[in-house]
Amino acid sequence: MTDPPDVARAVLALRRGGLVAFPTETVYGLGADATADAALVRLYEVKRRPADHPVILHLAADAALDDWAASVPPVARDLAARFWPGPLTIVLPASDRVSRVATGGLDTVGLRIPDHPLALDLLAAFDGAIAAPSANRFGRVSPTTAGAVVRDLGTDVDVVLDGGTCVVGVESTIVDCTGARLAVLRVGGVTVEELTDVLDAPPALGGTTPAPGTLAAHYAPNARVELVTLDTLVAEAAALADGGRRVGVVGLAPELAAAELPASLVPLARPVDAIAYAHDLYAALREADELGLDVVLAIAPPPVGIGAAVADRLGRAARGH
Ligand code: TXA
Ligand code: MG
């Protein structure tokens, strides 16, 4: 558990231009003051993130959208009212206060209020916006525990706040509200079905705005991720084992239970449903690396609800090599 003094220490670090890792309901973020250019330059260096890839600004629960967005269409206010605090990032025209280092040079900004008590305590105490990408090196698997942050970033972070394991486990959904039609740039913690419920028309999927979480290859462990089906799993596992490869498997428990799995296959995660799959996915990919596995065979969940985000991340991880 994290004591209040840790939040105070984190706020001090942010004010001095430092980097603070903190939990959110989705994944851990690596935070810097969203108005401090030098701190943001260091954030990009530590992440090894290309300078033109924008980061998300995290706001306090009582933040005024208009402080950070230059204009706010009614649909954005509706989405914020319905889904914040929560795993939805809303892209809007950026106000002058937002550092253009944080937006990757764009005049738009992604905003969200995260749904985690420690993040909300930190944001309330900081009284500003915290720019935070996921707390991993660029292109790698996002951390869902404080331990994973420390293993990935080590002493490059000034303060790590430990808020336990992230409840959702995959990143926020990103919606672009700057165009004529609302567009989902990244599927994530808020499902497309939930979004559609509060909109007059279904959102467009994918957008013209560049969003690096949408790079084809991303979220990849060292092990090669291979997508399989229940029909191809056993033969593929056997072929890889014959070739001397060490192989792990992730898939929904009811599906895996239906297969005669070779004993050499390492079970990394057998979640009972798509929500559990999202929760367990990144820990499973990290475990594959900790065990030194060569290949992860993955059966994606049906791409409905949060299963769409899980299938998306697995697809990108599979293209990451
Ligand atoms: O759940 C999350 O969103 C986590 C936690 C820490 O909040 N953050 C996260 O950040 O996943 P990151 O940097 O790994 O991914 C941020 C995504 C990128 O795909 C980026 O392109 C997109 O947000 N993004 C940020 N600002 C944008 C903008 N102005 N226009 C389009 N995409 C934007
Ligand atoms: Mg990321």
Side-chain angles (χ1 to χ4, degrees):
M1 278 314 294
T2 302
D3 301 324
D6 289 330
V7 170
R9 220 157 46 82
V11 169
L12 205 62
L14 289 171
R15 294 211 194 295
R16 289 179 177 154
L19 303 182
V20 171
F22 62 97
T24 79
E25 78 280 37
T26 58
V27 301
Y28 274 71
L30 180 63
D33 181 344
T35 63
D37 289 356
L40 293 161
V41 167
R42 179 154 169 248
L43 175 67
Y44 276 73
E45 274 169 13
V46 165
K47 274 274 304 184
R48 300 182 195 141
R49 183 179 179 106
D52 62 349
H53 287 211
V55 299
I56 293 168
L57 264 57
H58 298 71
L59 307 180
D62 64 353
L65 256 181
D66 305 83
D67 284 347
W68 304 101
S71 63
V72 185
V75 66
R77 289 195 202 279
D78 290 349
L79 290 173
R82 168 67 182 80
F83 294 108
W84 286 357
L88 182 72
T89 296
I90 303 178
V91 175
L92 293 166
S95 80
D96 292 340
R97 261 176 100 173
V98 179
S99 164
R100 288 329 191 240
V101 180
T103 67
L106 296 173
D107 281 324
T108 59
V109 62
L111 302 170
R112 87 176 186 102
I113 299 176
D115 188 14
H116 190 292
L118 194 48
L120 291 171
D121 282 353
L122 174 68
L123 286 156
F126 179 60
D127 195 26
I130 300 178
S134 51
N136 53 281
R137 310 271 185 208
F138 186 68
R140 308 314 305 271
V141 180
S142 300
T144 51
T145 62
V149 175
V150 173
R151 281 193 291 281
D152 201 353
L153 300 179
T155 54
D156 285 343
V157 193
D158 298 302
V159 178
V160 179
L161 295 178
D162 187 348
T165 302
C166 300
V167 172
V168 177
V170 292
E171 298 80 357
S172 62
T173 298
I174 304 176
V175 293
D176 184 355
C177 291
T178 63
R181 182 173 175 208
L182 194 127
V184 176
L185 303 183
R186 177 176 76 183
V187 289
V190 168
T191 68
V192 173
E193 293 88 341
E194 287 174 304
L195 279 175
T196 305
D197 272 352
V198 302
L199 300 171
D200 297 331
L205 295 183
T208 47
T209 321
T214 60
L215 287 178
H218 215 85
Y219 310 104
N222 294 320
R224 179 161 57 86
V225 176
E226 222 178 274
L227 289 173
V228 292
T229 65
L230 192 52
D231 291 333
T232 59
L233 169 63
V234 172
E236 184 63 11
L240 287 164
D242 286 350
R245 300 275 182 277
R246 300 193 58 217
V247 185
V249 64
V250 295
L252 288 169
E255 287 208 82
L256 292 182
E260 290 255 356
L261 300 181
S264 63
L265 199 53
V266 180
L268 295 167
R270 342 169 126 245
V272 293
D273 58 22
I275 291 172
Y277 208 149
H279 182 270
D280 297 348
L281 176 65
Y282 290 155
L285 296 180
R286 282 179 182 276
E287 193 191 346
D289 284 348
E290 277 151 30
L291 295 173
L293 301 185
D294 302 299
V295 181
V296 176
L297 297 179
I299 305 181
V304 292
I306 197 153
V310 175
D312 171 81
R313 301 304 187 273
L314 281 172
R316 291 178 205 284
R319 288 188 293 271
H321 290 268

